[in-house]
Amino acid sequence: MQRVLRIQRLTVGMLALLAGLTSLAGGAAMASGGYGGTTVYGTPRTGSVDHEAVLNYNRGKSLYETRMACADCPLAGVSLNESLARELLFNKRGVIFTHDEIYALEVYLKRRFRL
């Protein structure tokens, strides 16, 4: 009988330890930015996604790749880096964009290089 009680206490103790470790792991995830901080797009992590920001980022990336860096485009074979991104924010290299396309391209460049 005492052996059964001892095993039960040991089991309860192990479960309590497991529950404590689980709560510590959740706290560590929150402290490390798992639930806070900012996303790769520079938008705050609030539990909801700013779909407009994601759409503009993806559209800007697509515009860059298809209209500026394609095989026949002005930046063919050029590696996109921070200094080129800064230059492109002021000069679109002769490619004609609509107002919405310019905005999407700017969102992409600014958020990719944190400008």
Side-chain angles (χ1 to χ4, degrees):
M1 181 70 164
Q2 285 183 347
R3 185 179 174 125
V4 171
L5 289 175
R6 190 175 192 192
I7 291 173
Q8 286 176 344
R9 275 190 245 143
L10 187 61
T11 303
V12 169
M14 293 299 284
L15 289 174
L17 178 63
L18 182 60
L21 290 175
T22 303
S23 67
L24 284 176
M30 289 179 71
S32 69
Y35 296 104
T38 58
T39 66
V40 294
Y41 306 110
T43 56
R45 286 190 188 172
T46 59
S48 63
V49 176
D50 183 357
H51 295 289
E52 193 68 30
V54 173
L55 289 174
N56 280 320
Y57 180 90
N58 290 335
R59 186 170 185 220
K61 182 177 180 180
S62 175
L63 285 168
Y64 173 78
E65 291 172 353
T66 59
R67 307 240 330 256
M68 298 187 87
C70 67
D72 298 326
C73 296
L75 297 175
V78 177
S79 177
L80 181 60
N81 57 30
E82 185 178 342
S83 64
L84 179 58
R86 287 182 189 279
E87 181 184 334
L88 291 175
L89 286 172
F90 298 106
N91 176 9
K92 303 304 185 268
R93 296 270 180 137
V95 179
I96 298 173
F97 292 106
T98 67
H99 179 71
D100 290 340
E101 290 173 336
I102 290 172
Y103 178 73
L105 186 62
E106 288 176 352
V107 166
Y108 168 64
L109 294 172
K110 286 179 181 178
R111 291 191 178 171
R112 177 169 179 197
F113 295 102
R114 300 186 200 286
L115 302 176

